[in-house]
Amino acid sequence: MTSDQWGRVDDDGTVYVRTADGERSVGQYAAGSPEEALAFYVKRYDALVAEVELLEQRVKGAKLTPEEATESVRTVRAQVTGANAVGDLAALEQRLTDLGPVIDTQREARKVERAQRTAEAKEAKEKLVAEAEAVAEGTDWRNGANRLRDLLEQWKALPRIDRASDDALWRRFSTARTAYTRHRKVHFAEQNEKRDAARVVKERLVKEAEKLADSTEWGPTAGAYRELMRQWKAAGPAPKDVDDALWKRFRGAQDQFFGARDAANAALDAEFAGNAEVKEKLLVEAEALVPVTDLESAKRAFRDIADRWDAAGKVPRDRMKELEGRIRAVEQAIRKVEDEQWQRSDPEKSRRADDMVSKLEAAIAKVEADLEKARAAGNDKQVKELEENLESRRSFLDMARRASADFSG
């Protein structure tokens, strides 16, 4: 009989394994020698050792979940317990038993990790819900929808938490999205209504603008265009493609009118340039009267200059303020000297003031009569010139009347 530390072979070829409970038959091997029989069952044991070692590596390396590890230990233990193999089977079983605490530790660690992930996921979902609700309460109709889509994708990427919390948070998230979508649709429906209403208004304004494009009543028509522009801005935007087309027509009508007006004014300015040259020469004569040394002579000369000034006609608009300012300065200088003399001789001042008033009134009456004739004849150019002449003489008359009133009272 041949024996080994963990087994032996009987004379009839029966192989036994030694355990703490005694020997146990593991099989017969009659095809060879006792050594070969024992070696065969030792190899079976070595295979079990390799199986246990592989399981230890996978469990300790956390390659398996605690549940998978527990199931694997159970499977391998079933192979070891009562195995038909020769070796220290009890030691293998103990090694499998020793994996129990390792698995328990991993299970607890995973539990803590899972709880942490759940807490983090819950916090993240609460933040997503809070932001979704903030978007739903706002009016950022352009970017809000995109932001809610991004938040939904972030939600999908997060793990589920406990069912009750997950469902409650999802209801809030979904409600926020639904509310935002509903309000957004209402907003754009209202905007579409407003744009349609604006389109109707702007179509009317365009027609009115185009009717005025050929007008030559520069002042009234320019005012009408300003009013149309005010109404255009107040109408708000129409649908963009329609709005652009209507604006192009509206602007085109404006440009046509104001272009014609500018051309007409430029022609008038060119025509009036010669008048400005005449008035510049008259200013040389008028300004030579200052300082006044002979009041009567200066007044006669100024009246003559004033008559020629009025006869010279209109000047370019950009020269009016300058030229009128200079002639007024000469007039005021003469008036100042006259006032000083009147202060020294009230009767004389009163007579002269009255005389001036009478002459100006007579001159104004003549201009007014000429103005009525020009209007009746439809001579717009002459009407404008006479209106300016009348305004100038009335200004002189006001000053004369004030002086006469001072002297008489």
Side-chain angles (χ1 to χ4, degrees):
M1 180 179 64
T2 303
S3 63
D4 186 83
Q5 178 182 3
W6 299 108
R8 68 182 180 84
V9 181
D10 207 348
D11 292 338
D12 61 359
T14 300
V15 181
Y16 296 88
V17 62
R18 297 187 179 92
T19 68
D21 298 327
E23 290 184 336
R24 175 173 60 82
S25 173
V26 295
Q28 281 191 324
Y29 191 89
S33 65
E35 289 78 9
E36 291 174 335
L38 193 61
F40 175 79
Y41 286 97
V42 168
K43 285 182 180 180
R44 284 189 173 182
Y45 173 78
D46 291 340
L48 290 174
V49 170
E51 187 77 15
V52 171
E53 288 178 347
L54 177 60
L55 180 57
E56 287 175 332
Q57 292 174 4
R58 298 186 69 195
V59 171
K60 292 177 180 178
K63 303 296 184 182
L64 303 172
T65 66
E67 293 72 21
E68 292 172 338
T70 299
E71 183 60 28
S72 296
V73 168
R74 185 181 298 112
T75 299
V76 175
R77 188 185 295 279
Q79 296 173 4
V80 172
T81 301
N84 293 326
V86 174
D88 191 353
L89 295 174
L92 288 182
E93 289 195 48
Q94 184 59 49
R95 289 170 67 178
L96 291 173
T97 300
D98 291 343
L99 290 177
V102 176
I103 295 172
D104 290 341
T105 299
Q106 291 178 348
R107 181 178 288 107
E108 187 62 29
R110 286 188 175 235
K111 183 179 179 181
V112 172
E113 181 182 350
R114 186 165 53 251
Q116 178 66 26
R117 286 200 305 270
T118 298
E120 291 173 353
K122 184 177 182 181
E123 181 180 0
K125 288 188 174 183
E126 287 173 344
K127 289 182 179 178
L128 293 179
V129 169
E131 185 172 352
E133 290 173 338
V135 171
E137 291 174 0
T139 56
D140 186 354
W141 309 122
R142 181 181 298 275
N143 300 312
N146 292 334
R147 184 54 187 156
L148 285 176
R149 280 193 291 271
D150 292 342
L151 295 177
L152 179 59
E153 293 304 315
Q154 293 178 42
W155 178 284
K156 292 178 180 179
L158 293 171
R160 286 184 61 85
I161 56 179
D162 65 279
R163 186 180 183 83
S165 298
D166 208 69
D167 289 348
L169 287 172
W170 173 250
R171 280 194 297 272
R172 288 174 58 192
F173 187 84
S174 180
T175 299
R177 292 174 64 220
T178 301
Y180 175 83
T181 301
R182 183 173 63 254
H183 294 157
R184 185 171 183 268
K185 287 181 178 178
V186 170
H187 168 75
F188 283 113
E190 292 175 348
Q191 290 297 105
N192 288 336
E193 290 181 3
K194 291 179 180 178
R195 288 191 177 95
D196 286 340
R199 175 183 57 78
V200 173
V201 172
K202 288 187 172 182
E203 286 175 345
R204 174 179 60 80
L205 296 176
V206 165
K207 291 178 181 178
E208 293 182 22
E210 289 174 339
K211 287 180 181 178
L212 296 173
D214 295 324
S215 173
T216 56
E217 296 182 2
W218 310 124
T221 306
Y225 271 117
R226 284 193 293 272
E227 175 58 21
L228 292 178
M229 178 61 78
R230 185 195 66 77
Q231 295 180 40
W232 180 281
K233 292 179 179 178
K240 181 169 176 54
D241 54 342
V242 175
D243 206 59
D244 290 345
L246 289 174
W247 172 249
K248 186 176 181 180
R249 289 173 58 191
F250 186 84
R251 189 65 180 176
Q254 278 191 317
D255 290 345
Q256 180 179 336
F257 168 76
F258 285 107
R261 187 195 67 172
D262 291 344
N265 286 335
L268 286 176
D269 285 346
E271 179 183 343
F272 296 153
N275 299 346
E277 293 179 2
V278 172
K279 289 191 174 184
E280 285 177 344
K281 293 177 181 178
L282 291 174
L283 280 171
V284 173
E285 293 183 39
E287 289 170 345
L289 300 175
V290 180
V292 177
T293 55
D294 183 339
L295 179 60
E296 291 303 320
S297 175
K299 287 170 62 178
R300 285 194 301 273
F302 186 78
R303 282 195 295 271
D304 177 64
I305 292 170
D307 289 340
R308 286 184 285 154
W309 181 277
D310 291 338
K314 296 179 65 175
V315 298
R317 288 167 300 164
D318 60 350
R319 299 294 309 279
M320 289 176 61
K321 185 176 181 180
E322 170 209 347
L323 297 174
E324 289 295 330
R326 289 171 63 186
I327 195 68
R328 297 295 180 208
V330 174
E331 178 188 10
Q332 290 168 4
I334 295 173
R335 184 71 60 197
K336 181 179 179 182
V337 173
E338 187 175 27
D339 288 344
E340 291 173 352
Q341 288 191 9
W342 283 351
Q343 292 296 329
R344 295 191 295 270
S345 176
D346 288 347
E348 181 64 18
K349 289 186 289 186
S350 178
R351 185 188 63 77
R352 290 179 179 179
D354 292 341
D355 181 59
M356 178 66 73
V357 169
S358 297
K359 290 180 178 178
L360 285 171
E361 286 176 341
I364 288 172
K366 183 179 183 306
V367 174
E368 287 176 339
D370 292 341
L371 179 58
E372 289 302 319
K373 292 178 182 178
R375 284 174 175 166
N379 189 336
D380 292 342
K381 181 177 179 182
Q382 188 177 7
V383 167
K384 291 181 180 180
E385 292 176 352
L386 290 172
E387 285 177 341
E388 292 176 358
N389 189 329
L390 187 60
E391 181 181 356
S392 176
R393 291 182 182 275
R394 282 174 175 169
S395 177
F396 287 145
L397 178 58
D398 288 341
M399 289 187 290
R401 283 173 173 170
R402 286 196 297 270
S404 178
D406 289 340
F407 298 143
S408 63

